[in-house]
């Protein structure tokens, strides 16, 4: 799914099939660079224990994209 948030396109790449991880790609308007990050939680853990990982080779990730993704993940994780 792709969402437009402000001047960014945020795409959900997928989940791990167990609803414990969501991967995201974010592309700010006017750039070709995509940021790649994921929000995940361990099996049996609640939302409060979720973690964020950012692929170091995937470019920068705007803080606003992470804020949006956290709210999105709260609904789905």
């Amino acid at each position: 799914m792709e969402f437009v948030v402000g001047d960014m396109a945020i795409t959900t790449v997928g989940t791990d099939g167990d609803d414990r991880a969501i991967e995201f790609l974010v592309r700010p308007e006017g750039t070709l660079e995509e940021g790649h990050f994921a929000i995940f939680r361990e099996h049996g853990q609640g939302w409060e224990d979720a973690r964020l990982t950012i692929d170091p080779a995937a470019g920068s990730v705007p803080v606003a994209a992470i804020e949006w993704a956290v709210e999105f993940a709260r609904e789905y994780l």
Side-chain angles (χ1 to χ4, degrees), residues 14-69:
T15 65
D16 68 352
D18 198 15
D19 292 334
R20 291 184 296 155
I22 304 173
E23 291 183 60
F24 299 91
L25 291 176
V26 59
R27 188 180 60 257
E29 186 177 300
T31 66
L32 298 177
E33 179 181 280
E34 285 187 327
H36 182 212
F37 63 101
I39 296 175
F40 68 96
R41 65 178 175 84
E42 297 298 327
H43 185 71
Q45 299 295 313
W47 167 252
E48 298 80 18
D49 294 316
R51 301 284 187 254
L52 171 75
T53 60
I54 299 175
D55 182 350
S60 63
V61 176
V63 171
I66 293 172
E67 289 175 336
W68 180 88

